[in-house]
Each structure stands twice: as C-alpha cells, then as structure tokens.
Amino acid sequence: MKDDLVEQLMGDVLRKMGGDSAAPAAPAAPVAEAPAAPAPVKPCALTEFVGTAIGNTIGMVIANVDPLLHEQMGIDKKYRSIGIVGARTGAGPHIFAADEAVKATNSEVVLIELARDTEGGAGHGCLILFGAQDVSDARRAVEVTLSELDRTFGDVYGSSAGHLEFQYTARASFALNKAFGAPVGQAFGITVGAPAAIGVMLADTAAKAATVEAVGYASPAKGTSFSNEVIFTFSGDSGAVRQSIQAARDVGKQLLGTLDAAPLVSSTTPYI
C-alpha cells in the first residue's frame, strides 16, 4: 500500500517537473534592417534663396549689392540686384539655360566663370551672375535658369571614364555671346568630349557633317580651366547645326563606350 502511494506521489512530482520545464527558446530570426532613407534636403528660409536643380546647382538673389562688392566684382552699379547660379557639374547646360533666362527677363548676364570641378571628373562647374535694376527681374532670371536645366541636361552623357555634352539653340542670345562669342540671333551649337581626345574627334565630325561656321575651339591648355576636354562651338543654318551635333553625338557615344562597359544614358531626356 505504501509502495503504491510512494509511486503515485513520485509520478505526480515528475509530471509537474516535466510540465514546468520550458523547452529552450528558438533563437529569434534576425530582422533585416531597412535600407537607410536618403537624408531629406534641408529647407532654407533665407529670402535670398531661390532654389536648387540637377548638377548640384543652387540659385540665389541679392536685392541690394553692397557698393564695396560692386567695385571689387567689376559690376556696373546700375545693377542694384544680382541673381546667382552656381553648380558643381554642367557649365554648358547652365549657360544655355541662362541664355533662355536673358530672353525671358529684363536682365543681363554680367559674369560667367567656369570652375575646374565636375565633382572630381573631367570637366567644369560654373558660376553665373545676372544683373538687374529690379530684384524681381534678377530672381526671375534665376528661376528660369533652374527650370530650364532639366531640358539642357538632356544631351549630357557621363560615365566613370568621361563625359559627352551637346547643346543647341535656334537663336543665341547674350549669355551665349558672352560665354562663347556666339553670334546673337543665329543658330548655335556646342560639342564637348572628355577625355579631350574624344572631344577632338567630335569637333572634326561636327565640322564635316554639315556646312557650319566655327566660332571657337577650347582644349585643356587653351580656353578651359585646364579640364580634360575639348569644346567646339559653331553657328550656321538651324538644320545644319542640328545635323552636325547629331553626327558628333553618334560618334562620341561609340568612342566613350569603348572605355566603360556600362551603357551611356542621358542625364534627363534628349532634346536635340
């Protein structure tokens, strides 16, 4: 009798111990980290700030330029206000965009400088200043320039090996005249190739493709900020200028493609 009672008690104890003993927990599955979201662009409340655009481009305006700055910058004092456009990458797209801004506003381009930049690449960045007697005109010139950049970057192609750039306008105005000596009112085009060796071939192709008039030729030690590119500018009949650019673009894409296996893609949407 006692033996049966002891066995029953022992069985109850063992069953309780088995029920209370938790099985070792399975290791938690690792949670995949979500990719870090890009840092949002900080808003700018400064009244001088106009906006930003492709190519690390920033636009600003100064309503009343200090007289000391007027003198040091060599800007005519009749321009109380200036619009400012600066970029790390581009130059050509920005100057063609600025040309549209001059046509659309009561402003004038008073300064164009090409910085040795392209964020470490083979070409230029830029600094463009608009002069105006009224701050609204200076601001509008900057706004038009920024809005035009999506179009003027359409025939810019870049890779780790270099870049190609093609620009066209049916009617050049004073920004292009100031930067490149373009004949005002005439069709005007530009080819840019980097490395510079490709730029030489683009220039020759453009010159042979149609009847155009050479306006300028810039190379690493002559006419550029010692950048590794060749720039050819030309004018003529609208159809001839476009034909020259298109022929040079076809050749340039083939040549730059031999240096980088990645396909060459337009920065935005081609417009020529």
Side-chain angles (χ1 to χ4, degrees):
M1 184 75 177
K2 287 184 179 180
D3 292 341
D4 293 339
L5 181 60
V6 170
E7 287 181 5
Q8 182 179 349
L9 291 173
M10 288 295 294
D12 291 341
V13 171
L14 291 173
R15 281 193 297 273
K16 287 182 179 181
M17 289 181 65
D20 292 343
S21 300
V31 178
E33 293 186 8
V41 177
K42 295 180 180 179
C44 183
L46 293 173
T47 57
E48 294 86 355
F49 176 75
V50 178
T52 59
I54 187 173
N56 276 335
T57 304
I58 188 167
M60 297 162 286
V61 66
I62 299 177
N64 292 289
V65 181
D66 189 279
L68 290 177
L69 195 58
H70 258 131
E71 182 178 349
Q72 293 298 316
M73 297 177 71
I75 298 175
D76 192 322
K77 292 185 179 180
K78 70 178 181 181
Y79 298 124
R80 295 190 311 109
S81 304
I82 60 172
I84 309 166
V85 173
R88 298 291 313 278
T89 300
H94 297 79
I95 296 169
F96 273 74
D99 203 59
E100 297 302 315
V102 170
K103 296 174 188 175
T105 64
N106 186 24
S107 64
E108 180 181 337
V109 171
V110 296
L111 175 73
I112 296 176
E113 294 182 351
L114 304 185
R116 177 71 179 90
D117 199 332
T118 315
E119 301 180 34
H124 295 100
C126 68
L127 171 65
I128 299 174
L129 299 184
F130 295 94
Q133 297 184 35
D134 191 296
V135 65
S136 62
D137 286 319
R139 176 177 287 273
R140 182 58 183 156
V142 173
E143 290 172 346
V144 172
T145 301
L146 296 178
S147 67
E148 281 287 318
L149 287 176
D150 189 65
R151 179 183 66 85
T152 57
F153 263 92
D155 284 284
V156 176
Y157 303 82
S159 73
S160 61
H163 67 265
L164 307 171
E165 181 184 319
F166 308 94
Q167 301 290 344
Y168 164 82
T169 181
R171 183 173 62 89
S173 191
F174 297 104
L176 291 171
N177 176 263
K178 188 176 188 66
F180 301 115
V184 175
Q186 294 188 25
F188 181 73
I190 181 173
T191 65
V192 182
I198 293 178
V200 175
M201 187 61 69
L202 298 186
D204 185 69
T205 301
K208 291 176 178 175
T211 303
V212 294
E213 182 178 344
V215 174
Y217 177 92
S219 57
K222 181 183 176 184
T224 75
S225 299
F226 298 99
S227 56
N228 188 11
E229 58 188 343
V230 160
I231 303 169
F232 181 50
T233 57
F234 46 95
S235 65
D237 176 77
S238 177
V241 171
R242 289 178 66 95
Q243 183 178 336
S244 291
I245 293 173
Q246 291 166 352
R249 182 178 60 190
D250 292 342
V251 168
K253 291 171 73 173
Q254 293 181 62
L255 292 174
L256 188 56
T258 65
L259 300 177
D260 192 323
L264 279 175
V265 180
S266 165
S267 298
T268 54
T269 302
Y271 75 96
I272 302 174

